[in-house]
């Protein structure tokens, strides 16, 4: 039986707490974020039935790597493809701030000047998922990353456009689990977290 793909979003940061778009900026976890990451590790072990993952990949951002460490995961490889959406000129700004000059703006529907668009993010997600799909033959795969990018991974897993990631939630230090039902990609769990 093939393994599943586990997505773990990094723990809370000051910017995620305030709603600032955090792509390239390396913002550390808050103390609560560190606690959430540790609790996520316990939940992840239970979700995997106590079995160690066959492969763990992490975004290169410190907030993801520290979350992996605190969750008790041993990262096999840091993978730039797991980095958060590049928000370009929207980096460090909240949606209400961006909407002051671009009414109705969302990352899902509008461009990020000097950053990535949904098609580029979707292409990265497809590449990561192709590798994860192949690695599932050896067991569960864990991908440690970010909110928007994890939501794109969920959408692409079930064959939806990257922009349909808007329909899923990924709270800080939350898990989503991707699997299949008789060979058809399915969502096993979305946005599970254990609050310490």
């Amino acid at each position: 039986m093939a393994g599943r793909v586990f997505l773990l979003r990094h723990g809370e940061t000051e910017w995620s707490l305030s709603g600032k778009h955090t792509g390239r900026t390396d913002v550390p976890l808050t103390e609560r974020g560190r606690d959430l990451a540790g609790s996520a590790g316990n939940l992840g072990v239970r979700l995997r039935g106590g079995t160690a993952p066959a492969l763990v990949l992490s975004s290169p951002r410190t907030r993801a790597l520290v979350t992996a460490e605190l969750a008790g995961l041993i990262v096999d490889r840091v993978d730039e493809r797991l980095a958060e959406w590049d928000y370009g000129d929207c980096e460090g700004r909240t949606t209400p701030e961006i909407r002051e000059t671009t009414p109705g703006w969302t990352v899902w529907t509008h461009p990020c000047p000097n950053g990535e668009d949904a098609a580029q993010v979707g292409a990265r997600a497809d590449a990561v998922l192709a590798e994860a799909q192949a690695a599932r033959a050896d067991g569960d795969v864990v991908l440690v990353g970010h909110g928007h990018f994890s939501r794109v991974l969920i959408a692409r897993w079930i064959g939806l456009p990257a922009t349909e990631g808007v329909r899923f939630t990924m709270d800080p230090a939350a898990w989503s689990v991707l699997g299949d039902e008789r060979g058809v990609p399915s969502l096993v769990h979305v946005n599970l977290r254990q609050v310490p």
Side-chain angles (χ1 to χ4, degrees):
M1 183 170 160
R4 295 168 293 172
V5 179
F6 289 75
L7 308 179
L8 175 59
R9 181 184 175 189
H10 65 76
E12 176 189 275
T13 68
E14 289 294 337
W15 280 25
S16 68
L17 190 59
S18 67
K20 290 182 179 181
H21 288 83
T22 318
R24 296 171 302 213
T25 307
D26 224 346
V27 180
L29 299 179
T30 62
E31 281 307 310
R32 182 171 186 270
R34 295 177 67 82
D35 291 342
L36 290 170
S39 294
N42 297 331
L43 179 56
V45 169
R46 290 196 342 254
L47 289 170
R48 292 191 316 274
T51 304
L55 178 65
V56 178
L57 302 178
S58 176
S59 160
R61 302 299 178 259
T62 303
R63 59 191 180 272
L65 289 165
V66 170
T67 295
E69 178 184 350
L70 293 172
L73 297 165
I74 298 170
V75 174
D76 295 301
R77 193 174 79 243
V78 172
D79 193 325
E80 184 66 40
R81 298 174 302 176
L82 284 169
E84 180 59 292
W85 198 307
D86 183 345
Y87 300 114
D89 296 347
C90 297
E91 180 82 7
R93 300 173 65 202
T94 65
T95 297
E97 289 171 344
I98 298 166
R99 287 181 173 175
E100 289 174 9
T101 55
T102 309
W105 182 92
T106 76
V107 71
W108 307 105
T109 58
H110 289 71
C112 293
N114 297 309
E116 289 180 298
D117 62 26
Q120 291 168 311
V121 177
R124 277 200 292 125
D126 289 347
V128 169
L129 289 173
E131 180 175 348
Q133 182 72 286
R136 289 175 63 210
D138 297 324
D140 292 330
V141 175
V142 176
L143 306 176
V144 184
H146 308 274
H148 280 134
F149 189 70
S150 292
R151 294 163 70 185
V152 172
L153 287 167
I154 294 168
R156 295 303 301 139
W157 181 261
I158 59 173
L160 298 176
T163 54
E164 290 300 300
V166 70
R167 301 187 184 279
F168 307 102
T169 300
M170 275 298 277
D171 290 326
W175 290 96
S176 288
V177 184
L178 312 177
D180 60 80
E181 174 67 24
R182 295 181 179 88
V184 177
S186 67
L187 304 181
V188 180
H189 300 288
V190 176
N191 200 41
L192 293 177
R193 67 186 184 121
Q194 181 174 312
V195 179

